[in-house]
Amino acid sequence: MSVHSSSSQTLVVGVDVGGTNTDSVLLDISKSSVDAVLASHKAPTTSNVTLSVQASLEALLSKSTAKATDITALAIGTTHFLNAIIEKDTSRVEKVAVLRLASHGFSAGTPPFADWPRALEKIIHGHSAIIPGGCNIDGTLIGPVDKAAVREQGSIIKSKGIKNVVVVGIGCVTDEKYHQEDTVHDWLRAELGDGVNIVLSHNIARPGLLARENASILNASIMNFAQRTIRAFIGAIRRIGLNCPLYLTSNVGHLLPYSEAMRTPIRVFSSGATNSIRGAAFLAKSSIPQAGSIVVDIGGTTSDVGYLLKNGYPRLAKSYTDLAGVKVNLEMPSVESIGLGGGSIIHVTPDGHVTVGPDSVGHDLTTKALCFGGDTMTATDVAVATGADVGTSHVSLPESIVAKATMRMKKMLEDCIDRVKLSPEPSTVILVGGGSILCPRELAGVSEVVIPEHAGVANAIGAAIAKVFGSAEMIVKGDGVQEGISQVKARAIQNAVAHGGFADSAVVLYEEVSGVPYTTDQTLVKIEVACEADHKRVYEEMSSTRIPDELVDQVLHEETKQHEIPDSSSDEMNGRIEELGSYQPTVTPAGEWILSETDIRFLAIGCYILGCGGGGSPYAPFLHMRQLLLEGDTIRITRLEDLKDDDIMPPVASVGTPAVSIERPGGNGVLYAMQAMEKETGVKFNHLVATEIGGANGVGTLIWGATRFYNMPIVDSDLMGRAYPNFEMKSQYIHNPSVNELLPVILCSGSGESITIPPPQPDVPTASLKIRQACVKMGSAAGAAGRPMNGKSMREIGIPNTYSLAWRLGRAVAIAQQAGNIADVPQALIAAAGGDKSARVLFQGKIRSVKSTLTTTAHSLGEVMVERLSDNEMETDVDKVGEGLVEVVVPFMNENLVAIGKKEDGSEQILATIPDLIFLLDTSTGEAVGVQEYRYGLKVTVMTMAPHPLWATERALEVAGPSAFHLPYEYTTTLEYAKPVSVIDEFRSKS
């Protein structure tokens, strides 16, 4: 925490309340690094967090000559609020009502709480509704808000006695014209009065509707508890005699005035790890190389490992974060955690195998560890046995156990550090935390281990040095990018000033200027700044709204935790079905496969594998499908062979940029496109076919055959057998070389707009451009229906049994996951694909580098390089596949295109090329990794699978072979295609 130069007061206090210890530090911030530390204190955290903080502050001041009245500011970091949610404590976590603003059926398939753990949903879900409203990501209107609908919902919420409400509007983050969430807030306030918390999602998180909504719900559920806790903190500092502002530190290392923390407690949830990284930066500033360094914080129960950037802040997570099983998109530090701490329990099996943690004695270390006279062998005892000076009792352990435990702890730390690194180059490690004695001074992949003075209280120091944060973002149209950057910077500074910062001290921490996919004249500008805190102004504001003493004293007593026991159906509701290996799908005697929740889980996993890195994640359509089944809908699949000659079906797909789909999920674009195609062609559909089985469209197509929509079977087939990046790469076009055989194509926005690309078109590029332009006009996302086919034609050109293949692949992964045998996934997939002649493992290693760019056509273009594991990293036989190769490079254009093996002498070996299916699996889950998820350090299995023979024909190779992607390779393969066994044929009821 910095003080503006106009202030003469420089003493600040930082406190970090951890699960094991509460640390406090007194800093003179006119000094730098270790010279700034005037006093520090560490004590066990008690069940009453407020009393822990008060006792820590009193002990800290007793160690210093400073008076309480000399303190300029107090900043506290705590995981207390998150713990209440993780523990499902109903005395602290409250019911929430959610109103989502979404017209035209957008997001209807994924209602609030759709992806929540059912036990937590039961505690928090009080009421939810989807009502008119919403904006596109470019700020244009989807639908106006409806005052009557808002008032009706307000009346329902009031009747239920719910005191926490979330308002979340599609596109609200970029809604600068209509201010829909604010408008609804005002209407609700008039209806509900001042005694209800109303949380607006644009104040909580960034674009991504479901994840932002989830974050807002968690925030609302904990608000009253957070307010009680923060008021108690204020009571503690009054009793001590501090006359200074109270801040809480945020997830990304910034200050939140207490009033803002009361409104947005979710921003405090993960401040502990960030404080440690920030504190390490302050203490070891001279040791941080230009490229940054790794911070390892070893506590009593866990070790947190994060990447420290040169600017003194942690690297942030790029996408979603999981909080208590709920997916959110908050700005959070990118931190890897492992169950290794000073209190980690050492386990020794009868055969001498030694493991460490993840269970821990936690804050009972001083009574339970051997070195303190207890009877539990902990990681600290192992450190004492190797020379550490800790505890009150002598520790004598067998040398073999000490050696094995020490080696295990070293390996755990090395693996965790490697997952955090940005490159394979040796890195500097800054070691902090009370459990730093567990870390050896030499680690693989580490050039230097730095242990700064006061490392044990780095987390409290990080709280003390925090600054005020501000951010802003805007989509700039046309050539005014420089002017837009200036405007966004000014807004970011204004945002920081509103939170208590000095404008003239602003420093830009992050600036992003990037094109918006599928557009040529739109630029996203995002800027983040940090400012020194104006403590005097913040304290004046704090004093002007002084909280009465009776309120700050009301929670000094220990709150009693209450836990609701989830009902027995909660596991099933989360898709965890017992005995997946013996599961049998429902197939009627007539040959219709009736999908269950287990089936769609298998299909989602399998479709992502068949996406070959592309096709988009099936997660959102999976949620939509699950919701349909929960509400009683039926979804059916039928055999390709059973199609009659005169059956009529359209190929369908969702098209557009992911930036739109994550903010505006679902919608009825495909449904409307199908209806428009029926009208255009004068036919009625009785079946449905997926354009591509790979990725999101494989799962998404099934939605429109559901009872409530077209109520028709989906064919166990598609036109690709995988995912391809271009619309002409379909079996339709292979059999009929004119682009006009694919037309008309109809695109629908889902909100009333429809565009038809009719025949004739001169060539594929012209048709592709018109489709892309139509998509952009509709907000860069649309539903599409292609030229209908009859049953006779579909039997001839369809890739057979692709849903059956996806199901079998997904089942293989899910069974291995349930059994805890993830290492068996590659062989299980080979068996599911038809045997070792049809699929094989090419290589297993860890991602060393990723090069990626986004083209103007929204294709992800780049390559990923996977390096061989070192001998001590190899754990299974699969790790040794590809012997003789040092790395494998996989170029991609949305989908993986080729796998190139490289040998020690620099020579190359082509392992597989498109149209062979090439996919990467995450070795920790067994599931597919999409190109957008490739990152350094991820351990992956590279596999390949034979395509349908159609794609190996001369015509198909011209359209979708290596030359179509400008690759200088000829397609050759030793794989043999095995027609997938039909699920319907295998499981058809005989009755």
Side-chain angles (χ1 to χ4, degrees):
M1 182 185 310
S2 298
V3 180
H4 193 252
S5 57
S6 65
S7 172
S8 60
Q9 294 179 299
T10 60
L11 299 185
V12 295
V13 171
V15 178
D16 190 90
V17 185
T20 304
N21 293 308
T22 295
D23 299 335
S24 57
V25 65
L26 175 63
L27 245 60
D28 181 348
I29 56 170
S30 66
K31 301 177 182 179
S32 61
S33 193
V34 297
D35 294 335
V37 182
L38 303 183
S40 64
H41 183 71
K42 181 185 291 285
T45 300
T46 66
S47 55
N48 190 310
V49 172
T50 305
L51 293 180
S52 291
V53 169
Q54 182 173 330
S56 181
L57 290 173
E58 289 171 338
L60 179 72
L61 291 174
S62 71
K63 294 181 178 182
S64 167
T65 58
K67 300 176 183 177
T69 52
D70 295 332
I71 307 302
T72 304
L74 168 65
I76 299 176
T78 179
T79 58
H80 196 41
F81 308 142
L82 175 60
N83 292 343
I85 290 176
I86 291 174
E87 295 168 1
K88 302 180 182 68
D89 180 0
T90 55
S91 70
R92 308 179 185 200
V93 179
E94 299 179 0
K95 295 285 187 186
V96 176
V98 183
L99 298 184
R100 186 190 292 170
L101 313 180
S103 293
H104 302 295
F106 287 118
S107 78
T110 48
F113 299 95
D115 59 348
W116 280 54
R118 292 303 184 242
L120 190 59
E121 182 202 358
K122 181 181 178 183
I123 294 171
I124 296 178
H125 190 175
H127 174 75
S128 60
I130 300 176
I131 60 178
C135 295
N136 291 306
I137 64 170
D138 62 0
T140 57
L141 190 68
I142 292 176
V145 289
D146 183 334
K147 187 173 184 177
V150 173
R151 294 187 64 182
E152 179 184 3
Q153 291 301 319
S155 179
I156 295 171
I157 293 167
K158 192 173 185 177
S159 70
K160 292 183 176 181
I162 299 171
K163 298 299 183 182
N164 306 286
V165 182
V166 166
V167 179
V168 54
I170 290 180
C172 65
V173 176
T174 53
D175 174 18
E176 298 182 356
K177 180 177 180 180
Y178 302 99
H179 306 290
Q180 289 191 336
E181 286 191 350
D182 296 283
T183 300
V184 171
H185 169 276
D186 294 343
W187 292 342
L188 283 174
R189 183 63 71 202
E191 187 76 20
L192 300 175
D194 294 332
V196 173
N197 297 314
I198 302 176
V199 175
L200 306 184
S201 76
H202 74 266
N203 293 328
I204 301 298
R206 58 184 186 263
L209 178 73
L210 299 183
R212 184 176 69 254
E213 179 177 80
N214 289 345
S216 302
I217 294 169
L218 288 176
N219 186 82
S221 74
I222 210 75
M223 277 184 75
N224 285 325
F225 170 54
Q227 290 166 7
R228 294 195 303 271
T229 301
I230 294 171
R231 285 196 296 263
F233 287 161
I234 293 172
I237 67 175
R238 285 183 189 173
R239 286 184 290 277
I240 294 170
L242 297 179
N243 297 316
C244 65
L246 168 66
Y247 302 92
L248 275 80
T249 57
S250 76
N251 303 324
V252 290
H254 304 297
L255 295 175
L256 296 178
Y258 85 92
S259 56
E260 184 178 353
M262 283 181 165
R263 294 191 298 271
T264 58
I266 196 168
R267 291 184 177 171
V268 181
F269 274 24
S270 296
S271 60
T274 301
N275 286 341
S276 294
I277 294 172
R278 292 276 291 140
F282 183 78
L283 292 173
K285 186 174 183 180
S286 61
S287 300
I288 303 173
Q290 185 62 39
S293 59
I294 306 291
V295 175
V296 177
D297 178 12
I298 305 179
T301 303
T302 61
S303 293
D304 295 328
V305 182
Y307 199 89
L308 170 61
L309 301 174
K310 185 62 178 177
N311 65 5
Y313 285 85
R315 185 178 78 223
L316 301 182
K318 288 186 176 180
S319 54
Y320 300 108
T321 303
D322 184 288
L323 289 179
V326 178
K327 182 184 287 188
V328 300
N329 61 347
L330 294 165
E331 289 190 320
M332 305 278 276
S334 179
V335 172
E336 294 280 345
S337 297
I338 53 174
L340 172 61
S344 295
I345 298 173
I346 307 297
H347 301 277
V348 183
T349 63
D351 62 358
H353 182 64
V354 176
T355 60
V356 182
D359 48 341
S360 169
V361 298
H363 54 71
D364 292 327
L365 179 72
T366 56
T367 58
K368 292 186 176 181
L370 299 177
C371 61
F372 286 98
D375 58 4
T376 304
M377 182 172 32
T378 68
T380 298
D381 296 317
V382 173
V384 170
T386 58
D389 184 17
V390 177
T392 58
S393 301
H394 175 70
V395 174
S396 178
L397 297 174
E399 289 185 7
S400 61
I401 291 178
V402 172
K404 291 177 181 179
T406 301
M407 184 58 67
R408 179 58 188 159
M409 290 188 285
K410 181 175 184 287
K411 183 69 165 55
M412 291 170 71
L413 289 169
E414 287 172 343
D415 289 348
C416 195
I417 290 168
D418 201 53
R419 291 196 297 272
V420 170
K421 290 168 66 176
L422 297 176
S423 78
E425 301 304 318
S427 59
T428 298
V429 163
I430 303 173
L431 187 59
V432 299
S436 59
I437 58 172
L438 305 183
C439 182
R441 299 307 176 253
E442 291 186 3
L443 296 164
V446 173
S447 58
E448 181 184 14
V449 176
V450 178
I451 308 177
E453 190 178 353
H454 305 298
V457 290
N459 45 11
I461 292 172
I465 64 171
K467 295 186 178 183
V468 175
F469 174 76
S471 67
E473 62 180 82
M474 178 174 68
I475 292 178
V476 180
K477 296 183 179 181
D479 299 328
V481 175
Q482 289 304 316
E483 181 181 350
I485 292 173
S486 298
Q487 291 179 8
V488 173
K489 181 179 178 181
R491 292 184 187 180
I493 294 173
Q494 184 180 17
N495 180 246
V497 171
H499 294 131
F502 276 109
D504 58 2
S505 66
V507 175
V508 175
L509 297 176
Y510 176 80
E511 180 178 309
E512 177 184 344
V513 180
S514 59
V516 177
Y518 278 102
T519 71
T520 57
D521 65 343
Q522 294 186 27
T523 304
L524 173 65
V525 178
K526 180 178 180 180
I527 294 177
E528 299 174 355
V529 301
C531 298
E532 295 176 1
D534 185 350
H535 300 314
K536 181 179 179 182
R537 173 162 63 93
V538 174
Y539 185 60
E540 288 174 352
E541 293 173 357
M542 180 175 168
S543 300
S544 67
T545 56
R546 181 180 174 86
I547 299 173
D549 288 340
E550 60 269 21
L551 287 179
V552 300
D553 288 336
Q554 68 178 3
V555 287
L556 271 178
H557 64 279
E558 180 179 338
E559 296 193 20
T560 302
K561 297 181 180 180
Q562 299 175 11
H563 303 278
E564 287 189 13
I565 300 174
D567 63 52
S568 58
S569 67
S570 62
D571 279 352
E572 181 177 347
M573 295 288 282
N574 275 310
R576 295 189 293 272
I577 309 297
E578 291 185 3
E579 299 300 333
L580 292 178
S582 59
Y583 169 76
Q584 293 193 3
T586 299
V587 181
T588 69
E592 286 194 330
W593 174 10
I594 311 300
L595 297 185
S596 69
E597 186 172 334
T598 300
D599 292 325
I600 65 171
R601 178 187 172 195
F602 292 171
L603 287 169
I605 295 172
C607 284
Y608 208 18
I609 291 173
L610 294 174
C612 301
S617 169
Y619 183 67
F622 162 75
L623 291 177
H624 191 169
M625 285 252 293
R626 188 176 73 170
Q627 193 66 29
L628 290 172
L629 296 184
L630 289 172
E631 294 174 4
D633 273 66
T634 299
I635 301 173
R636 303 168 284 154
I637 293 178
T638 192
R639 297 195 322 155
L640 176 67
E641 296 85 348
D642 291 338
L643 290 175
K644 298 176 183 177
D645 287 356
D646 58 355
D647 284 336
I648 300 294
M649 65 216 69
V652 301
S654 294
V655 297
T657 174
V660 174
S661 61
I662 64 170
E663 180 60 33
R664 198 188 72 185
N668 295 322
V670 171
L671 178 68
Y672 297 155
M674 291 172 64
Q675 293 170 346
M677 185 62 77
E678 283 186 323
K679 185 176 181 181
E680 172 79 13
T681 58
V683 299
K684 286 291 182 183
F685 305 141
N686 55 13
H687 284 76
L688 188 57
V689 63
T691 298
E692 59 181 354
I693 191 67
N697 275 319
V699 179
T701 297
L702 297 166
I703 293 168
W704 310 110
T707 311
R708 74 179 62 185
F709 297 119
Y710 261 82
N711 192 21
M712 63 175 58
I714 299 90
V715 183
D716 189 1
S717 175
D718 77 309
L719 303 181
M720 295 184 182
R722 51 171 299 149
Y724 275 118
N726 295 339
F727 104 103
E728 77 277 7
M729 295 176 175
K730 298 194 284 276
S731 56
Q732 244 180 320
Y733 187 53
I734 306 305
H735 284 273
N736 300 289
S738 169
V739 68
N740 293 306
E741 294 294 329
L742 306 180
L743 303 174
V745 169
I746 296 180
L747 281 79
C748 289
S749 65
S751 57
E753 189 171 9
S754 176
I755 296 176
T756 301
I757 291 83
Q761 299 294 330
D763 50 35
V764 166
T766 301
S768 295
L769 177 62
K770 289 185 177 180
I771 291 172
R772 194 160 59 248
Q773 289 172 335
C775 184
V776 170
K777 188 176 180 181
M778 295 178 180
S780 297
R787 178 174 179 166
M789 298 170 290
N790 61 36
K792 182 176 184 297
S793 175
M794 186 62 199
R795 291 198 309 271
E796 294 172 353
I797 69 172
I799 310 299
N801 299 344
T802 47
Y803 278 108
S804 290
L805 176 59
W807 184 88
R808 294 182 186 283
L809 296 174
R811 180 179 66 166
V813 174
I815 290 173
Q817 289 174 336
Q818 187 179 64
N821 297 325
I822 302 301
D824 295 341
V825 166
Q827 287 305 313
L829 290 178
I830 289 171
D836 55 13
K837 291 184 178 180
S838 300
R840 65 174 61 107
V841 176
L842 298 176
F843 195 71
Q844 187 154 293
K846 64 183 178 185
I847 294 178
R848 177 173 178 171
S849 67
V850 182
K851 300 175 183 177
S852 181
T853 185
L854 199 64
T855 69
T856 55
T857 56
H859 290 122
S860 293
L861 190 66
E863 67 176 32
V864 58
M865 194 272 275
V866 183
E867 70 175 0
R868 175 168 291 284
L869 300 175
S870 63
D871 290 342
N872 65 350
E873 290 177 308
M874 292 190 178
E875 299 174 355
T876 67
D877 290 339
V878 181
D879 289 331
K880 301 174 184 178
V881 172
E883 197 166 355
L885 300 176
V886 295
E887 62 186 44
V888 168
V889 176
V890 180
F892 56 82
M893 179 177 160
N894 278 22
E895 285 74 40
N896 301 317
L897 303 177
V898 60
I900 308 167
K902 297 193 175 183
K903 302 179 181 179
E904 289 187 11
D905 62 7
S907 61
E908 294 184 351
Q909 176 185 353
I910 304 305
L911 305 176
T913 67
I914 199 169
D916 285 353
L917 285 72
I918 302 167
F919 49 91
L920 274 62
L921 305 176
D922 182 339
T923 61
S924 67
T925 65
E927 297 189 29
V929 184
V931 297
Q932 72 278 5
E933 298 156 346
Y934 293 164
R935 61 176 175 82
Y936 173 83
L938 185 67
K939 188 177 176 183
V940 295
T941 306
V942 184
M943 294 190 66
T944 186
M945 186 188 304
H948 186 276
L950 171 70
W951 295 109
T953 64
E954 182 178 353
R955 162 68 180 164
L957 291 174
E958 291 174 359
V959 174
S963 62
F965 298 94
H966 310 291
L967 295 170
Y969 310 115
E970 293 291 330
Y971 173 68
T972 60
T973 186
T974 58
L975 294 173
E976 298 177 8
Y977 173 77
K979 182 179 178 181
V981 176
S982 164
V983 168
I984 295 173
D985 287 344
E986 180 177 355
F987 296 101
R988 187 193 299 239
S989 172
K990 307 300 182 185
S991 58

